[in-house]
Structure formats: C-alpha cells, structure tokens
Amino acid sequence: MRKRVAVIITQYWLNSHADVIVSRLLGELGYKPQVELVAMYVEQVTARDLSRELSVRHGVPICATIEEAVAWGAPERPVDGVVVIGEHGDYPWNEKQQHLYPRLRFMQETLAAMDLHGIRVPIFLDKHFSYNNTDARWIYDEVKRRGIPFMAGSSIPYTDYLPHFDRAFLQKGRIFFINSHGGYESYGFHGMEVLQALAEHRHGAELGVASVHALSGDEMWQAMDRGEWPEALMLRALALEPELAGRHPRKECPNPALFVVTYQDGTMGYVAQLDKFATRWSFAVQDDEGAYIAAYCNTGTERPYRHFTRLTEMMEEMFINGTLPCRIERNLLTTYLINSAMESLYLRRPLSLEEWNVAYDPAPNR
C-alpha cells in the first residue's frame, strides 16, 4: 500500500508552487507518484484556482481546516506525511519588503493537529521557514522536539551543475559568489540556498555565519570600485550565460543588490541580485591560491519545470523511508540569511548573526 499524504496550500493555480509540486503528487505533468495524495486544504481560492477541478478529477477531498486535512483517515489509517506550501497568495508585506506568508501559522496548526490525533509523520515545508527568525527557530525546535523528519527549501540546490566540475574543489573554497535574479526576498532566498549548499562542503564546515550586509544600487557598485567584493568572480559566473557575453550589470540592471555573508571561519559568500539582467543561478568559487570553478544551476525554464521533479522525488523518499536530502540546519541557516539580508537592506547597515548562529555537520541523516 502506498504512503498517504495531505497537503496544506495558500493558493493553487497554473505554475504556482502548489501546481508544480502537488500536481505531480496527483500524477499530473507526466509524473508517476510513489505516494497517494488523500486530502487538501487550500486557504485562498481565486478565479484561476485549479484545486477544485483537480479535486474532482482525482477524487481527492478538499478539507475545510488544516486539522481536518492532517487528521484525514485517523485513527484507523492516518496520513504518512504532510506537505506545507505557504507560497503565493493575498498576504500583506512589511516595511522590509518581506511577504508575510502564513508558514508559521500553517506549521502551528499542522503540529497541533498531529498532537491532538497522536500523529508523528514527516513534513515538507516549501522554501524558507518564515520571514521572522524567532518564528523560524520555533518551527525548528518544535519539529526536532517531536523527532519528526523535516525537509524544507526549494528545488534549486538539487539541480545539476553545468558544466560539471570536481566537487572536491569545494572543500578548498574561500570565496563563493552567486548570481541570482528575481525579487530580493523570493529569489534571493534561492541565491542563499545555492551559496550554503556549496559553502557547507568546505573544510571545517559548518561553523556558522558571523554577519550579513546588504548593499543596493550605486552603493553596491561603489563598493565594487573600492575592491570590497570580487567583480571578477561575478563576471566569470555571468559569462556562462551566452547572451550576457561582454555585458556588465552595472549598465543594465535597474535595481541590483548584493548580500555579503561573512562566515565564522573567514570564508566570504556573496549573492548578487541582478533582476532583469541575469536569468539563472550561476556561481564561481575561488580558493586561497586564486584557482576557481564556475557553473550554473540547470533549471527547467518552461513547464513542467523539470527541477521540481527531483524535489518531489526527494519528498517522496522522505515520506517512504524517512531519508532527508540534507541536514535541516542548512535550511534553518538559509532562512536566517535571507531574513537578515532583508533587514540589513532596510536598516542600511551590517547585522551580526551571533544570536542566530547555526553550526552543523553537513552530512545528512547523522
């Protein structure tokens, strides 16, 4: 008998995160699921909603509450896993340009339902834990306290890197430069994910992060002119996009930002947000001797967005076998990184992460 899962969703429409993940679990998009989706909760239903149509097509009930979805089939045959997708929807923004998605509330209600009905099953939480570090830590602590297998984040860190390179080089990495695009928070998080997925492989990792500093607009380019960040690495990574050959974002990127990450061991990480210029996540890594590698994340740019296939497979592996693709501490740290970057951007000064330090062994399942 296949494992059974419930999904908790903000909105469900074409090419939304619910669509590219949950539709696969329903057997859409050419995907053959290994688990059975048995219940859905969808908080906001819009004119372009897909959940009602797919509910009828696949015979999957839509529940009125998160508790009803999580407790579906209990006590005789409770669900074996829960997928929480708190992305997209009509939710407010704060003064730091953060979208206030209800991931904390979704997790609180999910865990409360599990406690009430005596359920202990794996959870997947899409993207970062929360826009607030205190809330993120609450989620981490509560899941760990219950001993629940927990997977979070996105598909981007699990894509193939092209061109291929010897991953052993990452052990010597001292400077990690990531080119990103899209919104500061929504896609900047992906840039932080790529950064941490690479940086955690270095010798002695992971001791954590000391500080984060965000620069934007002319301030970013002036810092480059002063030699405060490695322009050459940015250009080496951008050169992997043929259409960008000979072009510089300084002249063409309208609202750039740079997130500067200083690790406890002195390693430096950079995420350049180059919206309307870069079109993929590319990176360059340099060692102490000046040698470097450069590559990009091979994401699918058109429907059905093949990188979500790998993510869905990893989710199913967790539901079936309890196997995690990475340590959840990586996702906690990347949550802290993007939240601190957005606060630094708002306050226009560096921020210490001593209060939010995360040290971990990057080997999964230890």
Side-chain angles (χ1 to χ4, degrees), residues 40-269:
M40 291 192 285
Y41 168 82
V42 183
E43 183 154 280
Q44 297 181 350
V45 178
T46 69
R48 52 180 177 166
D49 175 72
L50 290 178
S51 66
R52 270 52 185 170
E53 172 192 340
L54 291 171
S55 169
V56 173
R57 184 189 306 171
H58 293 279
V60 177
I62 294 179
C63 301
T65 65
I66 290 175
E67 180 189 340
E68 182 183 355
V70 172
W72 192 262
E76 290 81 10
R77 193 183 171 196
V79 298
D80 301 293
V82 178
V83 175
V84 178
I85 302 179
E87 180 80 358
H88 309 300
D90 184 16
Y91 299 95
W93 295 73
N94 67 13
E95 69 281 2
K96 302 174 188 176
Q97 302 181 64
Q98 293 173 294
H99 209 158
L100 308 186
Y101 290 125
R103 295 178 190 141
L104 173 66
R105 174 167 55 84
F106 277 15
M107 286 295 297
Q108 287 174 327
E109 293 189 33
T110 295
L111 293 172
M114 286 186 177
D115 291 345
L116 182 62
H117 295 275
I119 300 169
R120 288 291 182 270
V121 297
I123 300 173
F124 169 75
L125 174 60
D126 186 41
K127 295 193 71 173
H128 51 301
F129 293 6
S130 170
Y131 55 86
N132 178 280
N133 284 350
T134 299
D135 295 348
R137 185 71 199 200
W138 184 92
I139 291 172
Y140 172 82
D141 288 343
E142 291 299 311
V143 171
K144 295 287 281 189
R145 183 172 67 82
R146 289 169 173 82
I148 294 173
F150 187 40
M151 176 182 169
S154 80
S155 59
I156 306 302
Y158 304 115
T159 59
D160 293 328
Y161 298 149
L162 295 178
H164 299 293
F165 60 89
D166 184 356
R167 299 293 182 92
F169 184 86
L170 299 175
Q171 298 175 17
K172 304 184 295 180
R174 293 296 289 169
I175 303 176
F176 295 79
F177 199 104
I178 317 300
N179 290 312
S180 183
H181 57 102
Y184 290 160
E185 182 196 25
S186 58
Y187 276 48
F189 167 70
H190 295 311
M192 293 297 198
E193 283 188 297
V194 175
L195 169 63
Q196 191 55 34
L198 296 169
E200 72 178 16
H201 288 285
R202 70 196 189 280
H203 285 305
E206 179 55 63
L207 301 178
V209 171
S211 66
V212 173
H213 188 196
L215 306 170
S216 62
D218 289 340
E219 184 182 24
M220 169 181 170
W221 303 125
Q222 290 166 7
M224 181 188 74
D225 292 339
R226 295 191 298 268
E228 295 176 5
W229 58 268
E231 177 188 14
L233 289 184
M234 175 187 72
L235 295 176
R236 284 166 179 161
L238 287 173
L240 296 171
E241 299 191 47
E243 64 275 17
L244 299 182
R247 296 165 58 187
H248 198 292
R250 184 173 197 163
K251 301 176 182 178
E252 301 184 49
C253 186
N255 296 297
L258 181 72
F259 302 150
V260 181
V261 177
T262 303
Y263 287 88
Q264 294 281 2
D265 63 0
T267 298
M268 296 301 300

